[in-house]
Amino acid sequence: MTKRGHCSSCGTETNFRHRHDTAYGLAGTHMVGTERFECQTCGKAYYATDGAPPPLKFILDKEPNQK
């Protein structure tokens, strides 16, 4: 899935790919701490601990200030 946002690394309004790793390659699973948004322009990855550029939101891993 891709979404648009502003990348603070390369300074562009760009598409981000929403990605996460699976547990032992099993479909439908999620490895905690691996959810990320990858900038399609420069490749910078934003993890929940980094916070996501608006309007991107983490749905699997919570940001430190999320409830």
Side-chain angles (χ1 to χ4, degrees):
M1 165 187 0
T2 61
K3 295 194 174 212
R4 284 197 72 73
H6 180 81
C7 180
S8 60
S9 180
C10 65
T12 62
E13 182 77 18
T14 186
N15 287 327
F16 285 84
R17 178 166 283 157
H18 180 239
R19 305 188 62 122
H20 69 94
D21 297 345
T22 59
Y24 307 104
L26 299 172
T29 62
H30 166 67
M31 290 291 288
V32 173
T34 66
E35 183 180 21
R36 62 200 176 274
F37 289 97
E38 294 176 351
C39 174
Q40 297 295 283
T41 302
C42 71
K44 166 78 174 154
Y46 293 89
Y47 290 84
T49 53
D50 304 327
L56 307 175
K57 296 197 184 317
F58 291 94
I59 57 175
L60 301 171
D61 293 335
K62 297 282 189 210
E63 292 182 55
N65 58 358
Q66 270 184 328
K67 293 182 180 177

PDB file of all heavy atoms in Angstrom, residues 4 7 14 18 32 36 45 57 66:
ATOM      1  N   ARG A   4       0.704   9.210   0.313  1.00  0.00           N
ATOM      2  CA  ARG A   4       1.511  10.400   0.099  1.00  0.00           C
ATOM      3  C   ARG A   4       1.788  11.101   1.415  1.00  0.00           C
ATOM      4  O   ARG A   4       0.971  11.128   2.320  1.00  0.00           O
ATOM      5  CB  ARG A   4       0.825  11.353  -0.868  1.00  0.00           C
ATOM      6  CG  ARG A   4       0.943  10.843  -2.292  1.00  0.00           C
ATOM      7  CD  ARG A   4       0.674  11.851  -3.353  1.00  0.00           C
ATOM      8  NE  ARG A   4       1.639  12.898  -3.579  1.00  0.00           N
ATOM      9  CZ  ARG A   4       2.828  12.749  -4.167  1.00  0.00           C
ATOM     10  NH1 ARG A   4       3.223  11.574  -4.565  1.00  0.00           N
ATOM     11  NH2 ARG A   4       3.611  13.788  -4.359  1.00  0.00           N
ATOM     12  N   CYS A   7       8.514  13.891   3.062  1.00  0.00           N
ATOM     13  CA  CYS A   7       9.727  13.247   3.601  1.00  0.00           C
ATOM     14  C   CYS A   7      10.676  14.319   4.108  1.00  0.00           C
ATOM     15  O   CYS A   7      11.108  15.191   3.342  1.00  0.00           O
ATOM     16  CB  CYS A   7      10.405  12.403   2.532  1.00  0.00           C
ATOM     17  SG  CYS A   7      11.914  11.586   3.126  1.00  0.00           S
ATOM     18  N   THR A  14       5.976  13.062  -1.494  1.00  0.00           N
ATOM     19  CA  THR A  14       6.227  11.835  -2.247  1.00  0.00           C
ATOM     20  C   THR A  14       5.335  10.702  -1.775  1.00  0.00           C
ATOM     21  O   THR A  14       4.610  10.835  -0.792  1.00  0.00           O
ATOM     22  CB  THR A  14       7.716  11.437  -2.115  1.00  0.00           C
ATOM     23  OG1 THR A  14       7.998  10.329  -2.952  1.00  0.00           O
ATOM     24  CG2 THR A  14       8.082  11.089  -0.691  1.00  0.00           C
ATOM     25  N   HIS A  18       4.027   1.413   2.726  1.00  0.00           N
ATOM     26  CA  HIS A  18       3.798   0.902   4.080  1.00  0.00           C
ATOM     27  C   HIS A  18       4.251  -0.552   4.097  1.00  0.00           C
ATOM     28  O   HIS A  18       3.766  -1.360   3.322  1.00  0.00           O
ATOM     29  CB  HIS A  18       2.302   1.016   4.428  1.00  0.00           C
ATOM     30  CG  HIS A  18       1.976   0.522   5.796  1.00  0.00           C
ATOM     31  ND1 HIS A  18       1.086  -0.500   6.021  1.00  0.00           N
ATOM     32  CD2 HIS A  18       2.426   0.900   7.012  1.00  0.00           C
ATOM     33  CE1 HIS A  18       1.001  -0.717   7.319  1.00  0.00           C
ATOM     34  NE2 HIS A  18       1.800   0.122   7.942  1.00  0.00           N
ATOM     35  N   VAL A  32       6.739  -7.462  15.650  1.00  0.00           N
ATOM     36  CA  VAL A  32       6.670  -6.202  16.368  1.00  0.00           C
ATOM     37  C   VAL A  32       7.948  -5.400  16.133  1.00  0.00           C
ATOM     38  O   VAL A  32       9.046  -5.937  16.137  1.00  0.00           O
ATOM     39  CB  VAL A  32       6.457  -6.461  17.875  1.00  0.00           C
ATOM     40  CG1 VAL A  32       6.557  -5.168  18.675  1.00  0.00           C
ATOM     41  CG2 VAL A  32       5.127  -7.143  18.109  1.00  0.00           C
ATOM     42  N   ARG A  36       6.975   0.070   9.074  1.00  0.00           N
ATOM     43  CA  ARG A  36       7.693   1.254   8.620  1.00  0.00           C
ATOM     44  C   ARG A  36       7.048   1.837   7.377  1.00  0.00           C
ATOM     45  O   ARG A  36       6.304   1.165   6.684  1.00  0.00           O
ATOM     46  CB  ARG A  36       9.148   0.916   8.338  1.00  0.00           C
ATOM     47  CG  ARG A  36       9.313  -0.124   7.230  1.00  0.00           C
ATOM     48  CD  ARG A  36      10.679  -0.795   7.317  1.00  0.00           C
ATOM     49  NE  ARG A  36      10.835  -1.857   6.330  1.00  0.00           N
ATOM     50  CZ  ARG A  36      10.453  -3.107   6.489  1.00  0.00           C
ATOM     51  NH1 ARG A  36       9.837  -3.493   7.597  1.00  0.00           N
ATOM     52  NH2 ARG A  36      10.660  -4.012   5.553  1.00  0.00           N
ATOM     53  N   ALA A  45      13.517   5.150   5.690  1.00  0.00           N
ATOM     54  CA  ALA A  45      12.479   4.388   6.381  1.00  0.00           C
ATOM     55  C   ALA A  45      12.165   5.061   7.710  1.00  0.00           C
ATOM     56  O   ALA A  45      13.068   5.415   8.465  1.00  0.00           O
ATOM     57  CB  ALA A  45      12.941   2.959   6.619  1.00  0.00           C
ATOM     58  N   LYS A  57       0.012   7.139   9.380  1.00  0.00           N
ATOM     59  CA  LYS A  57      -0.241   6.643  10.737  1.00  0.00           C
ATOM     60  C   LYS A  57       0.125   5.164  10.825  1.00  0.00           C
ATOM     61  O   LYS A  57      -0.167   4.393   9.924  1.00  0.00           O
ATOM     62  CB  LYS A  57      -1.706   6.820  11.103  1.00  0.00           C
ATOM     63  CG  LYS A  57      -2.152   8.260  11.172  1.00  0.00           C
ATOM     64  CD  LYS A  57      -3.445   8.374  11.927  1.00  0.00           C
ATOM     65  CE  LYS A  57      -4.021   9.753  11.970  1.00  0.00           C
ATOM     66  NZ  LYS A  57      -3.171  10.845  12.200  1.00  0.00           N
ATOM     67  N   GLN A  66       1.428   7.390  21.250  1.00  0.00           N
ATOM     68  CA  GLN A  66       0.091   6.906  20.910  1.00  0.00           C
ATOM     69  C   GLN A  66      -0.467   6.082  22.062  1.00  0.00           C
ATOM     70  O   GLN A  66       0.284   5.448  22.785  1.00  0.00           O
ATOM     71  CB  GLN A  66       0.114   5.986  19.678  1.00  0.00           C
ATOM     72  CG  GLN A  66      -0.071   6.677  18.380  1.00  0.00           C
ATOM     73  CD  GLN A  66      -0.131   5.655  17.241  1.00  0.00           C
ATOM     74  OE1 GLN A  66       0.509   4.600  17.315  1.00  0.00           O
ATOM     75  NE2 GLN A  66      -0.862   5.974  16.219  1.00  0.00           N
TER      76      GLN A  66
END
